[in-house]
Amino acid sequence: MNDRAKFYRRMHDIPESWGTAVNVQSMVFGNMGESSATGVAFTRNPSTGENRLYGEFLINAQGEDVVAGIRTPQPLTKAAREEMGDVSPSMEEALPEVFTQFREVVERLEKHYRDMQDIEFTVEKGRLYMLQTRNGKRTAKAALKVAVDLASEGLITKEEAVMRVEPGSLDQLLHPTIDPGSPRDVIASGLPASPGAATGKVVFTAEEAEKLGGAGEAVILVREETSPEDIRGMDAARGIVTARGGMTSHAAVVARGMGRPCVSGAGEIRIDGKAGEFHARGRTIKAYDIITIDGSTGEVLAGAVKMIEPELSGDFGTLMGWADGVRRLKVRANAETALDAGTARQFGAEGIGLCRTEHMFFDPARIAAVREMILADDEAGRRAALAKILPMQRQDFVELFKIMEGLPVTIRLLDPPLHEFLPHTEEDLAAVAEATGLDPKKLMLRAKELHEVNPMLGHRGCRLGVAYPEIYEMQVRAIVEAACEVVGEGRPAPIPEIMHPLVAKGEEMKFLRDLTDRTAKTVIEERGCQIDYKVGTMVELPRAAIRAGDLAANAEFFSFGTNDLTQTTFGISRDDSGRFLGHYIEKGIFEKDPFVSLDQEGVGDLIRIAAERGRAARPDVKLGICGEHGGDPASIQFCEEVGLDYVSCSPYRVPIARLAAAQAAIGEREKDR
Amino acid sequence: MNDRAKFYRRMHDIPESWGTAVNVQSMVFGNMGESSATGVAFTRNPSTGENRLYGEFLINAQGEDVVAGIRTPQPLTKAAREEMGDVSPSMEEALPEVFTQFREVVERLEKHYRDMQDIEFTVEKGRLYMLQTRNGKRTAKAALKVAVDLASEGLITKEEAVMRVEPGSLDQLLHPTIDPGSPRDVIASGLPASPGAATGKVVFTAEEAEKLGGAGEAVILVREETSPEDIRGMDAARGIVTARGGMTSHAAVVARGMGRPCVSGAGEIRIDGKAGEFHARGRTIKAYDIITIDGSTGEVLAGAVKMIEPELSGDFGTLMGWADGVRRLKVRANAETALDAGTARQFGAEGIGLCRTEHMFFDPARIAAVREMILADDEAGRRAALAKILPMQRQDFVELFKIMEGLPVTIRLLDPPLHEFLPHTEEDLAAVAEATGLDPKKLMLRAKELHEVNPMLGHRGCRLGVAYPEIYEMQVRAIVEAACEVVGEGRPAPIPEIMHPLVAKGEEMKFLRDLTDRTAKTVIEERGCQIDYKVGTMVELPRAAIRAGDLAANAEFFSFGTNDLTQTTFGISRDDSGRFLGHYIEKGIFEKDPFVSLDQEGVGDLIRIAAERGRAARPDVKLGICGEHGGDPASIQFCEEVGLDYVSCSPYRVPIARLAAAQAAIGEREKDR
């Protein structure tokens, strides 16, 4: 089968396995001689969206001949034939009268159905028969252009144009993609964890990724799984592959945030770190071999493959503008680095919905002070170590506030359990002790003491702030000092939203609110500056949702942390769900992974309860969502229904969220009618 | 201060630190000569409840002299003086006229207040002044006797008698206790994890506990913490001490179930396993040294201490009978062994509310087959191993059904993650491989594969039954075959209630229901027997509560697993909460440990929602609770309010639950009036 036939089949939803058994209505015959023909057409180019009749036909042939790939069909128009350098005449040239009639009919059909049409036709002895017309399948790029063009031509409204583009498909426009015409030598397959494609040399450690990546080499980081220490290596790599972990594993979440393509949970891959190679499907790929990953399909390919670079055309901007005009939900981004914040703004984010301060603690310049704090014997020791972190943390916020130019920035105080900041293996412990001069025995003992059976449900989130208020005091101080500094420079006043994670009780929120206000007041008095800030909480535990009224007494905003809320509501650890979710999906118990698309019945009901109870206690409580679901169109639809104020997602998903929010708003308005 | 003074102080709520600064109204003076006196009295004995005037006085003295312990007070009555062999005259002898008047007054006071009175009086120059009367504090034993006596005397109703005894105090009557008069040489202090007291030789391993305990020696097992493998050693010990873990740690839960006293989380204790000793408060206790533990106070004492054995007197039976007459909630026990089931029935349990089948898997005779199943490469291998377990598992149920004589028995199918059945350390792995002939490498690899980041939220509960249906099929088969066998012997037909743990979705419940019915039907047809059984689910995940309607479609009963429901609702791991709950209680954020007394606002609201939604979908769905809270009076009160059908608790808490349920029923009836 030739490529053109394959393309038709794809556009017509015809599986390749179907062979020639395509059932075209065959009461008329296109194989009755040279004045007979059969063909398929799109009223516009389904690949680019260009407004030009597009299609192919065969003289003296039946419908299946066009798609079977045995004879090569000819283009419909003269212009197309000339562009392609074809010799055989186009339909326009071979059957000019029929063609003129055909062109009129298809134009009428497009106007009637108000969308690009996919048409099958037969000419029997000079007479045109229309066999079928339907809305044509199209690429993301074409969908965008067709929608904008149809609206510009007055055939549909701008709102209809907004409804015509599948938000998730924008991913194809925002990342490089593999040329669909290129052959794919698949060596392993995993989950499509972060979209886009990348080619590079295989490396097996974050350190090497950082070294080679820093030297300008394109590398793909291949790991069993990733952890926070790998972040700089992940950032330096063009793409990431992991053998374990799901759609919401560390690798997947971080890669999406960074806009790096990622294939996660490629269980076929067995990494042999010692030999410096990995094995999959009986093949061996060595370090520095070139591979390509397709994060949109989850495939890992051998060698380099031809790429198509993204092109954010004028149509994209036009459609997003229309979307912004109708949506009610604000769209923010989850970002903590200057790079992410910049990307987020470029993609139209209206603020930061989640700045995870712990990401700032892994920086090599700081981790030593963080560890010193963890090892401190008492509060005084912890405060001394925190004093070293304060200026760096403040600088982080200064930078973010400047980039965000007065847009709201929600900053989540330290969340992960402290043991995440300590090295995990005895070797690493020894190395860290050696490098930092910390007592290795003490380091080992403390790591052992901090070990938890279920770290997800352990000493983390605001439980750190309750046990060691000095940590949160340092962070609040850094935030408020940074805000004062930015205002002092005459820049737009930041709106810091100080967010406490993992709150479960009203009393807890009260304690945290008092701590925050007390610290902020001190700084404001010290600096003599005018700063507005808000204090709020994550709602990521079922109890927080149930007792939202208690929390709202001291929280000006809620951000639904749907990752953790899904974990606790289902009692499913994301990190461990790989073992059984497969059985569940196979047996039809789960339709989709609840960590990807919000479980609206269960987790969603808790969100609904929290929104109701929170608003009953504080009518103007601001409500947002900052879990992975904040970038999922179906989940955004739900956020609109529940009446949240904003969604927050990875920078690269901001356009998707903007479009999905617009569609949700239009959908809700339709319902009201 | 002498013992008698100490006793008075305790009964009068006077802290020992108060010295003589007791503020008695002193407008009259008992120190005006030999016809003056001062004293305290109880209308009945506050220690035993005996209906006899009880108290002491001093001639020519002020109130504080009686409690200061400088002069020794004399008894009030001649009989008491004679019994005690005192020489100095009693009040009855020294001031006969005043005494007669006093006796009349106190009798009138008791009748008026309809309760045992605690009275202070002064005689000034032959004239009696009543200084104060109030309901007297009393021991659990006295409370019981006084309540039963007052009702028998017609002073109060039987319902009032039921309300007069604090259910939690019954613990003192059901276990040996330390003689309050004995000196206590406290060497460490922890949590009062399981009531009662025990004396024995210190041992540090479960194996040694089993060996010495089996040989009839009294031993106390002292461990860092316990795990399921320690169960037989715990059972062989008289009492258990752990250095780590809370009120709901493995040690605490198992000890309460077994009725063994336990002190958990005695953080002061540092165990040196190699040296065979532990250190606490600067002292060293070696293996085989005698210690005594008080599981009601959490104290660990050096040496042997005098004990008071429990005496389930006729009054106990009388009061429990009255309680049973008014309560609505049924009371069941959590039990899986014949011993526990027998204890439960003896204490009046009306069924088994939770039989944890995993406890049956740790038996040394079975663990090999269990491990064989875990290591099997495929379903056939698992089925072969399960076939070995089936007859043993069936025999477990035969035994339970016989003991329970037709009462309902709720059997929970396998719940813990499979890695709990594998050895944890490399040494143990090697030993197991050696002993069983299993491939050590394979064992190691499988243990590594099964390792989970958050086992609490991992591959456990019905997720095992979904992934490996053959496990649950074997268990259902064992249950139904056992029921057939018992019926075949002409015994009362058992009512097995087959319970699926950790269900979160309606589709999951449907799958499990189908599996259960299909297997049961096969067995019933094979055996040609008539068996009724029910299929139900734990409600122990927030989502199960929220979607209770979906679950009820295929569940005939719900059992609220409030241990796990508390963990997931709060996002707090019981095993890890020790790190921060202290800070929370210290800062007033938690009033009580939510794992001990049900969090009625949060977890309770989910139970309320589940009860409503479950009943809406299936009006006759049976509702019970089987978490630790099932034996907590405040939580039982809540269960009555929500209208559950039964509570289930440790066998030793059954009487407490019966009394608490009666009080709750009376309380609810009062509210309705």
Side-chain angles (χ1 to χ4, degrees), chain B residues 183-221:
Chain B
R184 292 174 162 241
D185 179 9
V186 178
I187 49 177
S189 171
L191 299 169
S194 179
T199 295
K201 288 181 179 175
V202 170
V203 296
F204 294 109
T205 67
E207 291 70 39
E208 195 157 24
E210 210 179 327
K211 210 177 76 190
L212 293 187
E217 293 236 47
V219 298
I220 305 289
L221 177 61

Short mmCIF file of all heavy atoms in Angstrom, two decimals, chain B residues 183-221:
data_model
loop_
_atom_site.label_atom_id
_atom_site.label_comp_id
_atom_site.label_asym_id
_atom_site.label_seq_id
_atom_site.Cartn_x
_atom_site.Cartn_y
_atom_site.Cartn_z
N PRO B 183 3.37 0.02 96.25
CA PRO B 183 4.30 1.03 95.72
C PRO B 183 4.64 0.71 94.26
O PRO B 183 4.65 -0.46 93.86
CB PRO B 183 5.53 0.87 96.60
CG PRO B 183 5.43 -0.49 97.20
CD PRO B 183 3.99 -0.88 97.24
N ARG B 184 4.88 1.76 93.48
CA ARG B 184 5.17 1.59 92.06
C ARG B 184 6.57 2.12 91.76
O ARG B 184 6.82 3.29 91.90
CB ARG B 184 4.16 2.40 91.23
CG ARG B 184 2.76 1.86 91.30
CD ARG B 184 1.77 2.77 90.58
NE ARG B 184 0.56 2.00 90.31
CZ ARG B 184 0.08 1.74 89.11
NH1 ARG B 184 0.64 2.25 88.04
NH2 ARG B 184 -1.01 1.01 88.96
N ASP B 185 7.42 1.25 91.31
CA ASP B 185 8.77 1.65 90.93
C ASP B 185 8.80 1.79 89.40
O ASP B 185 9.15 0.87 88.68
CB ASP B 185 9.76 0.57 91.41
CG ASP B 185 11.19 0.90 91.04
OD1 ASP B 185 11.45 2.04 90.56
OD2 ASP B 185 12.04 0.01 91.19
N VAL B 186 8.40 2.99 88.95
CA VAL B 186 8.22 3.20 87.52
C VAL B 186 9.59 3.33 86.83
O VAL B 186 10.39 4.17 87.21
CB VAL B 186 7.38 4.47 87.25
CG1 VAL B 186 7.24 4.71 85.75
CG2 VAL B 186 6.03 4.34 87.92
N ILE B 187 9.81 2.49 85.81
CA ILE B 187 11.08 2.60 85.08
C ILE B 187 10.89 3.22 83.70
O ILE B 187 11.84 3.67 83.09
CB ILE B 187 11.79 1.23 84.96
CG1 ILE B 187 10.83 0.15 84.45
CG2 ILE B 187 12.38 0.82 86.30
CD1 ILE B 187 11.50 -1.19 84.24
N ALA B 188 9.66 3.22 83.20
CA ALA B 188 9.39 3.86 81.91
C ALA B 188 7.89 4.06 81.79
O ALA B 188 7.10 3.43 82.50
CB ALA B 188 9.89 3.01 80.75
N SER B 189 7.53 4.94 80.88
CA SER B 189 6.11 5.23 80.73
C SER B 189 5.81 5.36 79.24
O SER B 189 6.59 5.91 78.47
CB SER B 189 5.82 6.52 81.49
OG SER B 189 4.53 6.95 81.21
N GLY B 190 4.66 4.80 78.83
CA GLY B 190 4.26 4.86 77.43
C GLY B 190 2.76 5.06 77.35
O GLY B 190 2.17 5.68 78.24
N LEU B 191 2.14 4.53 76.31
CA LEU B 191 0.70 4.71 76.13
C LEU B 191 -0.06 3.54 76.74
O LEU B 191 0.39 2.40 76.66
CB LEU B 191 0.38 4.79 74.64
CG LEU B 191 1.05 5.94 73.91
CD1 LEU B 191 0.89 5.79 72.40
CD2 LEU B 191 0.46 7.26 74.38
N PRO B 192 -1.20 3.80 77.36
CA PRO B 192 -2.01 2.73 77.94
C PRO B 192 -2.74 2.00 76.82
O PRO B 192 -3.92 2.23 76.57
CB PRO B 192 -2.96 3.48 78.87
CG PRO B 192 -3.10 4.83 78.27
CD PRO B 192 -1.81 5.12 77.56
N ALA B 193 -2.05 1.12 76.13
CA ALA B 193 -2.54 0.59 74.87
C ALA B 193 -3.53 -0.55 75.01
O ALA B 193 -4.39 -0.73 74.15
CB ALA B 193 -1.36 0.16 74.00
N SER B 194 -3.42 -1.32 76.07
CA SER B 194 -4.37 -2.41 76.28
C SER B 194 -4.44 -2.64 77.78
O SER B 194 -3.42 -2.85 78.43
CB SER B 194 -3.94 -3.67 75.54
OG SER B 194 -4.86 -4.71 75.78
N PRO B 195 -5.65 -2.57 78.35
CA PRO B 195 -5.78 -2.50 79.81
C PRO B 195 -5.42 -3.80 80.51
O PRO B 195 -5.32 -4.86 79.91
CB PRO B 195 -7.26 -2.18 80.00
CG PRO B 195 -7.92 -2.72 78.79
CD PRO B 195 -6.95 -2.58 77.67
N GLY B 196 -5.29 -3.68 81.84
CA GLY B 196 -4.91 -4.81 82.66
C GLY B 196 -3.45 -4.71 83.03
O GLY B 196 -2.74 -3.82 82.54
N ALA B 197 -3.03 -5.58 83.94
CA ALA B 197 -1.64 -5.56 84.38
C ALA B 197 -1.10 -6.97 84.33
O ALA B 197 -1.86 -7.94 84.37
CB ALA B 197 -1.56 -5.01 85.80
N ALA B 198 0.22 -7.07 84.20
CA ALA B 198 0.85 -8.39 84.15
C ALA B 198 2.28 -8.28 84.62
O ALA B 198 2.92 -7.25 84.47
CB ALA B 198 0.82 -8.95 82.73
N THR B 199 2.75 -9.37 85.21
CA THR B 199 4.13 -9.45 85.69
C THR B 199 4.80 -10.61 84.98
O THR B 199 4.17 -11.64 84.74
CB THR B 199 4.13 -9.70 87.22
OG1 THR B 199 3.56 -8.56 87.87
CG2 THR B 199 5.55 -9.92 87.74
N GLY B 200 6.06 -10.45 84.64
CA GLY B 200 6.77 -11.57 84.02
C GLY B 200 8.21 -11.23 83.72
O GLY B 200 8.67 -10.12 83.97
N LYS B 201 8.92 -12.24 83.18
CA LYS B 201 10.32 -12.06 82.82
C LYS B 201 10.42 -11.36 81.47
O LYS B 201 9.68 -11.69 80.54
CB LYS B 201 11.00 -13.43 82.67
CG LYS B 201 11.23 -14.15 83.98
CD LYS B 201 11.92 -15.49 83.71
CE LYS B 201 12.19 -16.21 85.03
NZ LYS B 201 12.75 -17.55 84.80
N VAL B 202 11.38 -10.48 81.38
CA VAL B 202 11.58 -9.76 80.12
C VAL B 202 12.17 -10.70 79.06
O VAL B 202 13.17 -11.39 79.32
CB VAL B 202 12.55 -8.58 80.34
CG1 VAL B 202 12.98 -7.98 78.99
CG2 VAL B 202 11.90 -7.52 81.21
N VAL B 203 11.52 -10.75 77.87
CA VAL B 203 12.15 -11.39 76.71
C VAL B 203 12.06 -10.43 75.54
O VAL B 203 11.18 -9.57 75.49
CB VAL B 203 11.48 -12.74 76.32
CG1 VAL B 203 11.63 -13.76 77.43
CG2 VAL B 203 10.02 -12.54 75.96
N PHE B 204 12.99 -10.58 74.58
CA PHE B 204 13.08 -9.61 73.50
C PHE B 204 12.65 -10.13 72.13
O PHE B 204 12.65 -9.39 71.17
CB PHE B 204 14.51 -9.04 73.43
CG PHE B 204 14.89 -8.22 74.63
CD1 PHE B 204 15.82 -8.69 75.55
CD2 PHE B 204 14.30 -6.99 74.86
CE1 PHE B 204 16.18 -7.93 76.67
CE2 PHE B 204 14.64 -6.23 75.97
CZ PHE B 204 15.58 -6.70 76.88
N THR B 205 12.36 -11.44 72.05
CA THR B 205 11.91 -11.95 70.75
C THR B 205 10.63 -12.77 70.93
O THR B 205 10.39 -13.35 71.99
CB THR B 205 12.96 -12.86 70.09
OG1 THR B 205 13.08 -14.06 70.87
CG2 THR B 205 14.31 -12.19 69.97
N ALA B 206 9.85 -12.78 69.86
CA ALA B 206 8.61 -13.54 69.87
C ALA B 206 8.90 -15.03 70.04
O ALA B 206 8.15 -15.75 70.70
CB ALA B 206 7.83 -13.29 68.57
N GLU B 207 10.01 -15.47 69.45
CA GLU B 207 10.36 -16.90 69.53
C GLU B 207 10.57 -17.29 70.99
O GLU B 207 10.08 -18.32 71.46
CB GLU B 207 11.66 -17.20 68.77
CG GLU B 207 11.55 -17.07 67.25
CD GLU B 207 11.39 -15.62 66.80
OE1 GLU B 207 12.04 -14.73 67.39
OE2 GLU B 207 10.60 -15.37 65.88
N GLU B 208 11.31 -16.45 71.71
CA GLU B 208 11.59 -16.78 73.10
C GLU B 208 10.32 -16.70 73.94
O GLU B 208 10.11 -17.53 74.84
CB GLU B 208 12.67 -15.85 73.65
CG GLU B 208 13.24 -16.39 74.94
CD GLU B 208 14.63 -15.85 75.23
OE1 GLU B 208 14.96 -14.77 74.71
OE2 GLU B 208 15.37 -16.51 75.96
N ALA B 209 9.50 -15.73 73.62
CA ALA B 209 8.23 -15.61 74.34
C ALA B 209 7.43 -16.91 74.16
O ALA B 209 6.84 -17.44 75.10
CB ALA B 209 7.42 -14.42 73.82
N GLU B 210 7.46 -17.41 72.94
CA GLU B 210 6.70 -18.62 72.63
C GLU B 210 7.29 -19.81 73.37
O GLU B 210 6.56 -20.64 73.92
CB GLU B 210 6.76 -18.84 71.11
CG GLU B 210 5.54 -19.53 70.57
CD GLU B 210 5.63 -19.71 69.07
OE1 GLU B 210 6.22 -18.84 68.38
OE2 GLU B 210 5.10 -20.73 68.59
N LYS B 211 8.61 -19.87 73.40
CA LYS B 211 9.29 -21.00 74.03
C LYS B 211 9.03 -21.00 75.54
O LYS B 211 8.53 -21.98 76.09
CB LYS B 211 10.79 -20.91 73.75
CG LYS B 211 11.50 -22.25 73.69
CD LYS B 211 12.97 -22.09 73.34
CE LYS B 211 13.78 -21.59 74.54
NZ LYS B 211 15.15 -21.19 74.18
N LEU B 212 9.35 -19.88 76.17
CA LEU B 212 9.20 -19.81 77.63
C LEU B 212 7.73 -19.82 78.02
O LEU B 212 7.33 -20.50 78.96
CB LEU B 212 9.88 -18.55 78.19
CG LEU B 212 11.41 -18.51 78.06
CD1 LEU B 212 11.95 -17.30 78.81
CD2 LEU B 212 12.05 -19.79 78.63
N GLY B 213 6.93 -19.06 77.27
CA GLY B 213 5.48 -19.01 77.57
C GLY B 213 4.87 -20.39 77.43
O GLY B 213 4.05 -20.81 78.26
N GLY B 214 5.29 -21.10 76.39
CA GLY B 214 4.77 -22.45 76.17
C GLY B 214 5.15 -23.37 77.32
O GLY B 214 4.42 -24.31 77.65
N ALA B 215 6.28 -23.10 77.94
CA ALA B 215 6.74 -23.91 79.06
C ALA B 215 6.12 -23.44 80.38
O ALA B 215 6.54 -23.88 81.46
CB ALA B 215 8.26 -23.85 79.13
N GLY B 216 5.17 -22.55 80.28
CA GLY B 216 4.44 -22.13 81.48
C GLY B 216 5.05 -20.96 82.23
O GLY B 216 4.58 -20.58 83.30
N GLU B 217 6.08 -20.36 81.66
CA GLU B 217 6.69 -19.20 82.34
C GLU B 217 5.90 -17.92 82.01
O GLU B 217 5.38 -17.78 80.90
CB GLU B 217 8.13 -19.03 81.84
CG GLU B 217 9.04 -20.17 82.26
CD GLU B 217 10.24 -19.64 83.01
OE1 GLU B 217 10.05 -18.79 83.92
OE2 GLU B 217 11.36 -20.05 82.68
N ALA B 218 5.85 -17.04 82.99
CA ALA B 218 5.21 -15.74 82.72
C ALA B 218 6.27 -14.82 82.12
O ALA B 218 7.28 -14.55 82.76
CB ALA B 218 4.68 -15.13 84.01
N VAL B 219 6.03 -14.39 80.87
CA VAL B 219 7.00 -13.49 80.24
C VAL B 219 6.31 -12.23 79.73
O VAL B 219 5.12 -12.23 79.42
CB VAL B 219 7.74 -14.17 79.05
CG1 VAL B 219 8.54 -15.36 79.51
CG2 VAL B 219 6.77 -14.56 77.94
N ILE B 220 7.09 -11.16 79.70
CA ILE B 220 6.64 -9.90 79.09
C ILE B 220 7.51 -9.70 77.85
O ILE B 220 8.74 -9.69 77.96
CB ILE B 220 6.85 -8.70 80.05
CG1 ILE B 220 6.17 -8.94 81.39
CG2 ILE B 220 6.37 -7.41 79.38
CD1 ILE B 220 4.67 -8.89 81.39
N LEU B 221 6.85 -9.56 76.71
CA LEU B 221 7.58 -9.37 75.46
C LEU B 221 7.88 -7.88 75.27
O LEU B 221 6.96 -7.06 75.23
CB LEU B 221 6.74 -9.92 74.30
CG LEU B 221 7.31 -9.76 72.89
CD1 LEU B 221 8.64 -10.50 72.73
CD2 LEU B 221 6.31 -10.28 71.85
#
